[in-house]
Amino acid sequence: MSAIRRIGFIGIGNMGWPMAANLLKAGFEVAVVDARPGHARKFAAEVGGRPAETAAEAARDADAIVTILPTSKHVASVVEEIAPVLKKGAVLVEMSSGVPGETRRIAGQLAAQGVDVVDCPVSGGVPRAKSGELAIMAGGEEAVLDRVDPVLKAVGTTVHRCGGTGAGQAMKALNNLVSAGGFLIGIEALLIGQKFGLDPALMVDVLNASTGMNNSTQKKFKQFVLSRRFDSGFGLDLMVKDLSIALEVGRDGAVPTPFAALCRELWSSAGGLLGPGQDHTAVAQLSEKLAGGALGGGNRPD
């Protein structure tokens, strides 16, 4: 197989925009498309690459097609559109946080026309997407992953090969399950400490120097919760989706998941309480409402 040179990039949102930019920096020819009218042209004007009006236009003659979309349903819809124009030997690099079973179905569909599929969801958020330091969880055949390795290395610094098709997405969902659980228990600890008389910001410093440290204590609590910004760039609805995928993987394996189920229920409840369009760090407001006071404030949240 020839080396990958031309990439069709589908989905230039909060994560996709900087990732596509890093592919251009790495020397790939990139055609970009997005569901929002004019967004691809805006990217091309500000960053470079070729704007496309449709997903099929972006995918035509591409050696690799990158999809990073909200859900597997969006990916399936795009695949139906682009399948007729995909050339034999192309690779679909599915980087969404998707459903492993659906990705396997798509892989079977495209294999019939000589197109390979790998699933390569990412972790690290917008800051590491911008710096090209994402962690990538990859699933698929080794030979295909070898072929797309330069693409993955252009947007991330670590590529973990997790197994066959769907394994990367299963790992991503489970990673976010652990992250979501750590976030909630950390917020509860801050609320307990504040009620006792401890300063939440000081508590974060102590946690980060102690065994309670996790990604949320390091990169979310001060930055997005105590600051009251709640604007990390990753939606609460997307976290709920990933937790649902993790539970589905657990059900498929007949694994009891009592804590995971409770964690998902709390995050889902926050979505219902706070309304649509919330950043995932706003889930802290659910715990604050239950405790009757905002972190750093002491008054009952509205």
Side-chain angles (χ1 to χ4, degrees):
M1 288 290 183
S2 60
I4 291 172
R5 184 167 58 90
R6 296 185 298 274
I7 297 175
F9 199 102
I10 302 172
I12 45 174
N14 290 336
M15 294 291 289
W17 182 293
M19 291 168 65
N22 283 327
L23 288 172
L24 283 167
K25 291 178 185 176
F28 292 100
E29 297 177 19
V30 182
V32 296
V33 68
D34 194 83
R36 289 165 290 184
H39 202 60
R41 290 192 296 275
K42 183 174 185 289
F43 178 91
E46 296 183 12
V47 182
R50 177 172 62 85
E53 294 298 324
T54 65
E57 181 186 342
R60 193 183 305 274
D61 296 324
D63 303 310
I65 302 88
V66 174
T67 49
I68 180 159
L69 300 168
T71 70
S72 287
K73 289 183 178 180
H74 293 93
V75 175
S77 178
V78 163
V79 169
E80 288 299 320
E81 178 187 344
I82 68 176
V85 304
L86 294 179
K87 67 180 184 181
K88 186 176 182 179
V91 183
L92 174 66
V93 185
E94 218 298 79
M95 304 192 79
S96 314
S97 295
V99 179
E102 179 63 13
T103 300
R104 289 173 176 172
R105 184 195 68 79
I106 291 171
Q109 171 190 341
L110 293 182
Q113 61 185 83
V115 175
D116 292 309
V117 175
V118 292
D119 57 295
C120 301
V122 301
S123 180
V126 174
R128 285 170 64 182
K130 290 179 178 178
S131 65
E133 297 176 306
L134 290 167
I136 300 173
M137 291 146 273
E141 295 182 7
E142 289 289 327
V144 184
L145 290 173
D146 287 342
R147 188 174 173 221
V148 302
D149 194 59
V151 176
L152 303 181
K153 292 291 179 61
V155 299
T157 50
T158 58
V159 179
H160 300 277
R161 297 190 180 187
C162 300
T165 305
Q169 290 176 332
M171 185 65 245
K172 172 61 190 291
L174 295 171
N175 172 77
N176 277 11
L177 171 62
V178 174
S179 177
F183 187 100
L184 282 182
I185 200 66
I187 291 297
E188 287 192 8
L190 295 187
L191 287 164
I192 294 169
Q194 178 171 271
K195 190 71 172 181
F196 179 80
L198 296 171
D199 174 29
L202 174 63
M203 289 186 68
V204 174
D205 291 337
V206 174
L207 289 169
N208 284 333
S210 308
T211 57
M213 174 182 62
N214 63 32
N215 178 264
S216 294
T217 66
Q218 290 180 311
K219 298 181 179 181
K220 298 179 183 179
F221 286 174
K222 282 190 175 182
Q223 296 89 333
F224 304 114
V225 178
L226 298 185
S227 70
R228 316 309 291 175
R229 288 172 50 190
F230 303 118
D231 61 351
S232 73
F234 181 63
L236 195 158
D237 58 331
L238 295 179
M239 180 64 88
V240 174
K241 178 206 68 174
D242 287 352
L243 297 179
S244 299
I245 293 171
L247 287 178
E248 182 177 325
V249 173
R251 285 194 298 270
D252 289 346
V255 179
T257 56
F259 180 76
L262 175 60
C263 181
R264 191 265 177 200
E265 184 65 25
L266 287 167
W267 280 84
S268 181
S269 297
L273 177 71
L274 301 174
Q278 297 289 331
D279 188 81
H280 84 284
T281 57
V283 73
Q285 295 177 56
L286 171 65
S287 298
E288 290 176 334
K289 288 179 182 292
L290 293 173
L295 284 167
N299 297 319
R300 176 178 287 274
D302 297 332

